[in-house]
Amino acid sequence: MRFDILTIFPDFFSSPLAEGMIRRAVQDGLVLIQTHNIRDYATDKHAMTDDRPFGGGEGMVMKPEPLAAAVEQARGSGVDARVVLLTPQGRTLDQQLAEELAGEEQLILVCGRYEGVDERFRAAYVDLEVSIGDYILTGGEPAALVLLDSVIRLLPGVLGCGDSAENDTFSRGSRGGLKYPQYTRPRIFAGREVPEVLLSGDHAAIERWRFLAAVRRTISRRPELVAAMEFTPAERKLLRENDISLPPAGNGGE
Ligand code: 9D3
């Protein structure tokens, strides 16, 4: 999969992309990531990428021509690249959207700065607008990194078998609920012991304990996720026996 990142701060991406999973994916030839400095596509002598808003008001707006020229360049000969604008006005990134994007051949990620991009660039070039959540960032760059991370880890061959996509909190392995608490050595830390059952070697008991702990944790921290979780009749019985009550089955969490 190929990513082209359009930004006025290309250096922002150098070390994050040179570490860990993303670095390996690039080295293995599974992803190609290219940054483009929007400033290089400015045509005026001061290489301006932003200007004052028509109609007045606070802040600056990103000029459309350099953005358009950078998109054309990034698109190259490839025809069906999707152009994604990172913006607070976008669709909130979630696991489903990451999975959709992982199916694309090429993504062109446009990082907004200032108060945003000229509306005509958005209308003429942007296929999809994405936000990473309801908090204020200084620009689209950190959001682009989050998107890259969430999409690249889904690509075939990127993750090892050990930690792969199957058992994630937000994929089917833990059926949309949160994960159970985890422990490693030492057996006592800060005066706190590892739960006895985890040392027992009784794998069925361990599985039951983890299941119950995960459901309790999901109910207390992310109650909105519980409605979408699916349980077998045996699991429902186990929950009842442990005084864990679920909301009535209904509309799948919406
Ligand atoms: C009206 C006042 N604004 C500035 C205080 C609006 C505003 C403009 C530009 C707020 C943030 C930004 C820059 N943010 C992004 O470009 C951005 C973003 C975000 O802020 N939060 C979550 N996801 C994203 S994706 C891009």
Side-chain angles (χ1 to χ4, degrees):
M1 181 167 183
R2 170 176 173 163
F3 296 90
D4 290 86
I5 305 167
L6 279 44
T7 173
I8 58 168
F9 297 123
D11 292 346
F12 192 96
F13 295 89
S14 10
S15 62
L17 300 183
E19 303 283 353
M21 168 202 76
I22 297 182
R23 178 203 192 119
R24 276 196 308 278
V26 171
Q27 282 173 345
D28 294 348
L30 301 169
V31 290
L32 185 67
I33 308 173
Q34 212 167 312
T35 57
H36 304 263
N37 191 339
I38 296 164
R39 211 172 158 83
D40 293 343
Y41 298 87
T43 47
D44 64 298
K45 68 172 177 173
H46 297 295
M48 297 285 293
T49 57
D50 61 315
D51 205 341
R52 291 150 56 209
F54 277 124
E58 290 294 292
M60 299 292 270
V61 176
M62 294 186 84
K63 292 167 65 60
E65 308 98 312
L67 290 169
V71 167
E72 307 280 8
Q73 171 76 229
R75 196 171 259 141
S77 49
V79 271
D80 44 43
R82 272 178 104 190
V83 178
V84 178
L85 175 66
L86 286 309
T87 165
Q89 282 82 46
R91 167 175 166 192
T92 306
L93 180 65
D94 59 13
Q95 193 61 24
Q96 187 193 324
L97 180 53
E99 284 167 14
E100 282 174 37
L101 295 175
E104 297 288 331
E105 200 56 51
Q106 181 186 6
L107 291 181
I108 298 175
L109 305 180
V110 182
C111 303
R113 278 273 155 178
Y114 317 112
E115 287 306 302
V117 305
D118 185 284
E119 174 65 13
R120 292 152 310 167
F121 167 76
R122 190 198 63 74
Y125 285 88
V126 173
D127 298 307
L128 176 67
E129 298 173 57
V130 175
S131 161
I132 60 164
D134 293 338
Y135 38 82
I136 300 173
L137 302 172
T138 56
E141 285 80 3
L145 280 177
V146 168
L147 185 152
L148 282 165
D149 195 87
S150 69
V151 172
I152 290 173
R153 66 184 294 286
L154 295 174
L155 300 177
V158 168
L159 288 187
C161 306
D163 48 1
S164 80
E166 303 299 279
N167 257 349
D168 291 350
T169 290
F170 290 105
S171 79
R172 285 170 53 88
S174 54
R175 60 194 91 194
L178 302 183
K179 191 162 179 169
Y180 50 79
Q182 301 178 98
Y183 300 84
T184 184
R185 290 185 289 185
R187 283 174 62 160
I188 304 178
F189 172 75
R192 294 150 198 265
E193 291 186 27
V194 173
E196 194 72 43
V197 63
L198 300 180
L199 311 172
S200 69
D202 180 343
H203 295 296
I206 292 170
E207 205 182 317
R208 277 195 302 277
W209 182 89
R210 286 179 167 167
F211 169 75
L212 293 169
V215 175
R216 283 199 181 95
R217 183 169 264 199
T218 306
I219 289 170
S220 86
R221 298 187 187 187
R222 299 291 304 276
E224 78 281 12
L225 297 181
V226 177
M229 297 174 73
E230 288 174 16
F231 300 101
T232 65
E235 287 170 340
R236 289 181 182 278
K237 179 159 171 284
L238 190 59
L239 291 170
R240 275 196 308 277
E241 287 166 358
N242 287 274
D243 299 308
I244 299 173
S245 50
L246 296 170
N251 55 13
E254 285 305 309

